[in-house]
Amino acid sequence: MVVWFGLFGLGGPALYSGDAASEREVVQASAGMGPIAESGAKPVLIEQISYEPGKPSEGDAFPEAASLSENNKAAAAPQEQEQKQNQKQNEKLLYLTFDDGPSENTKQVLDILKREGIAATFFVLGEQVLKQPEIAKRIVAEGHAIGNHTFNHKYDRLYGSFAEFAGQVMKTDEAIYKTLGIRTTLFRAPGGTYSNFDQGYFDAMAEAGYQVHDWNVDSGDSKRVGVPAAEILSTIKKSKLAATLNVLLHDGKGHAESVKALPAILKYYKSKGYTFVPLTDQVKPIQFNVAKQLKWDRAKVSKPEKQSLIAFSEKLGRNSLLGQAEPNAPSLILHRGEQRLELSKEEYRLRNGSIEVPLLKLSEWVGGITKLDLEHGIIEAYYDGNQVLKLSSQTGKMTVEQSERMAVPVRATLEKFGIIITSVVYNDQQREIWLSA
Ligand SMILES: [Zn+2]
């Protein structure tokens, strides 16, 4: 279903055609000097909000939301294709990943990586982080990425019910935060997602802002206990090479053979011209397809189960959907000539130094037209017949209710509509924004 919002045929104000950058400089310069003299604006600037550095307004979709979009249904191949375009030509990237730690084996892994000058990613167990906090700290201190690998890795518990799974994801998120002072949205499913995750698991994780990473090279170091180093190396060498590799290894208890194989593995991939990089939240995950037949007999992910994970992530401000309102916050009022838009405290938020507001409301107010493609989770905003913004949801689907809560940074978004913010008042009692006509 495609839904259109906004008024057709009513032109709305003409697109701003001047030099946006210099206009902005004037505004900011005068704002810094106190009361704004130009253009008859009355407000006194009480507090300056710092905004994220603006991207050029033309062209590409809103970067934050776009980077969050994922297509879980897609096989690994098209994702690699897309990733390739973002890489420097011919640059081959390798994400080395270690699961199930930290353990005593992690220390040696870290020593080897340090010697080779290589950064990797460690998908840690919450339980192990609490048992081995010093080793966990070393991982971060030495420049590696940390990912969440659930709390206790027990398949039957994790895949027997989504409530238990979500509980472990959150518990591990907290364990990592408490121990290391960082939040991570990188996630790897114990045993991988294939035949463990259904679409409901994928959707909930994506909606909560996690990136679920499977792999495309399995070193085979966990297919039975004590796989010898020589066998691990030969499995690696037999694996298909690609422009981007995500290599699965283990640094948990009982994986001394993986440590032993590691120097030769690194040497092999270096000889093939790979650059070793840690995962970030900007990397499109390699994901397995959803299996037709799951290993587990369980109920579908229920709304309340999913909601607890999403509420957790909303509290952390991870989601592109508006979440909990700031208590006792005043309404946010936007002014444009004689026009006024009042947003209740549930309808805006301050995130990463930007004021975020619902795209649908903002677009409609400034005279834009919004097209909603709920089946594919895409919102497009048009102004004067031109597409100014295209957002996609993290799940590749969207309900009307979600679309209404899809938040965008007000300044960057208005700029795409050719509208400039001339001043802002933002404090505990008063929150108002004045726009250019
Ligand atoms: Zn594991």
Side-chain angles (χ1 to χ4, degrees):
M1 179 173 61
V2 172
V3 186
W4 290 84
F5 283 88
L7 299 167
F8 288 92
L10 298 178
L15 269 170
Y16 183 73
S17 57
D19 177 356
S22 64
E23 167 90 26
R24 191 157 61 243
E25 277 157 25
V26 169
V27 169
Q28 283 172 348
S30 62
M33 293 184 292
I36 293 171
E38 282 88 8
S39 65
K42 298 132 275 229
V44 173
L45 193 88
I46 300 174
E47 192 180 321
Q48 180 86 40
I49 305 285
S50 65
Y51 286 89
E52 290 165 323
K55 296 243 164 134
S57 358
E58 302 83 29
D60 53 5
F62 169 50
E64 292 162 40
S67 73
L68 292 170
S69 77
E70 280 161 24
N71 187 350
N72 295 321
K73 278 157 270 178
Q79 292 179 349
E80 277 168 24
Q81 196 69 34
E82 211 166 307
Q83 216 152 34
K84 229 181 268 176
Q85 290 165 0
N86 298 329
Q87 283 167 226
K88 277 180 246 155
Q89 214 149 29
N90 299 327
E91 193 182 16
K92 297 194 278 184
L93 297 182
L94 192 143
Y95 301 102
L96 205 55
T97 63
F98 295 92
D99 291 9
D100 301 358
S103 79
E104 285 299 319
N105 288 322
T106 310
K107 292 181 185 170
Q108 283 166 277
V109 170
L110 289 171
D111 290 343
I112 295 165
L113 295 177
K114 192 192 259 180
R115 201 170 63 217
E116 300 289 330
I118 285 169
T121 303
F122 291 79
F123 286 101
V124 296
L125 296 174
E127 196 175 54
Q128 286 303 115
V129 169
L130 298 182
K131 276 187 198 158
Q132 302 279 12
E134 293 314 313
I135 305 175
K137 283 177 194 161
R138 222 191 116 185
I139 294 173
V140 176
E142 295 181 10
H144 306 288
I146 287 268
N148 183 330
H149 194 45
T150 76
F151 197 79
N152 68 15
H153 210 280
K154 289 191 173 135
Y155 296 148
D156 53 342
R157 306 289 316 265
L158 292 165
Y159 302 127
S161 102
F162 184 76
E164 167 75 17
F165 175 86
Q168 288 206 24
V169 170
M170 294 185 278
K171 201 172 164 188
T172 302
D173 202 308
E174 289 298 338
I176 291 170
Y177 181 67
K178 253 192 263 158
T179 311
L180 307 171
I182 55 171
R183 294 279 181 189
T184 180
T185 52
L186 304 175
F187 178 84
R188 175 167 284 155
T193 61
Y194 190 76
S195 73
N196 291 322
F197 268 37
D198 51 31
Q199 193 59 46
Y201 271 58
F202 273 118
D203 289 348
M205 288 297 277
E207 217 176 306
Y210 289 96
Q211 299 90 41
V212 177
H213 290 269
D214 285 309
W215 55 83
N216 57 2
V217 175
D218 181 354
S219 69
D221 67 345
S222 68
K223 64 183 169 204
R224 56 180 196 280
V225 177
V227 178
E231 187 180 328
I232 296 171
L233 185 62
S234 98
T235 304
I236 290 268
K237 287 185 175 172
K238 272 186 258 168
S239 301
K240 233 178 90 191
L241 297 173
T244 302
L245 294 183
N246 183 318
V247 179
L248 171 69
L249 282 156
H250 291 83
D251 65 330
K253 256 182 246 166
H255 282 288
E257 289 296 310
S258 304
V259 176
K260 220 196 243 176
L262 186 56
I265 293 170
L266 301 180
K267 194 174 157 202
Y268 169 72
Y269 283 123
K270 277 186 176 172
S271 78
K272 297 289 177 193
Y274 282 91
T275 305
F276 295 83
V277 275
L279 288 170
T280 71
D281 60 3
Q282 299 301 304
V283 176
K284 256 205 169 162
I286 287 171
Q287 277 175 359
F288 301 142
N289 291 320
V290 177
K292 285 204 183 86
Q293 186 74 48
L294 289 183
K295 271 188 223 153
W296 312 94
D297 189 19
R298 63 169 182 248
K300 274 196 170 168
V301 175
S302 75
K303 255 195 169 163
E305 285 174 331
K306 181 168 146 177
Q307 201 44 47
S308 72
L309 186 64
I310 292 169
F312 172 80
S313 116
E314 281 178 346
K315 238 190 241 172
L316 298 172
R318 273 182 191 154
N319 208 291
S320 52
L321 299 179
L322 289 169
Q324 281 178 336
E326 188 189 330
N328 307 318
S331 293
L332 173 71
I333 300 162
L334 277 71
H335 302 270
R336 188 176 188 216
E338 295 302 306
Q339 289 175 290
R340 190 170 180 276
L341 175 68
E342 183 167 344
L343 298 170
S344 71
K345 65 175 192 283
E346 287 82 19
E347 293 178 303
Y348 75 93
R349 66 175 173 193
L350 188 66
R351 182 161 84 134
N352 302 329
S354 289
I355 299 169
E356 295 189 346
V357 300
L359 172 64
L360 289 191
K361 262 208 162 157
L362 184 72
S363 163
E364 195 177 3
W365 185 62
V366 299
I369 288 163
T370 321
K371 180 188 174 191
L372 271 188
D373 177 350
L374 300 175
E375 263 161 45
H376 301 96
I378 295 168
I379 305 183
E380 289 165 272
Y382 290 86
Y383 191 65
D384 265 4
N386 300 312
Q387 190 192 76
V388 288
L389 206 60
K390 183 178 178 180
L391 303 181
S392 42
S393 84
Q394 298 163 352
T395 55
K397 288 194 284 276
M398 200 184 286
T399 62
V400 172
E401 196 263 338
Q402 285 169 336
S403 73
E404 286 166 353
R405 288 166 54 225
M406 194 74 146
V408 291
V410 67
R411 182 183 292 262
T413 306
L414 284 169
E415 278 177 12
K416 288 181 190 285
F417 283 90
I419 299 165
I420 304 294
I421 290 180
T422 54
S423 70
V424 177
V425 174
Y426 197 96
N427 59 46
D428 288 347
Q429 290 81 40
Q430 187 192 4
R431 295 177 181 185
E432 299 188 52
I433 300 175
W434 283 264
L435 313 180
S436 63

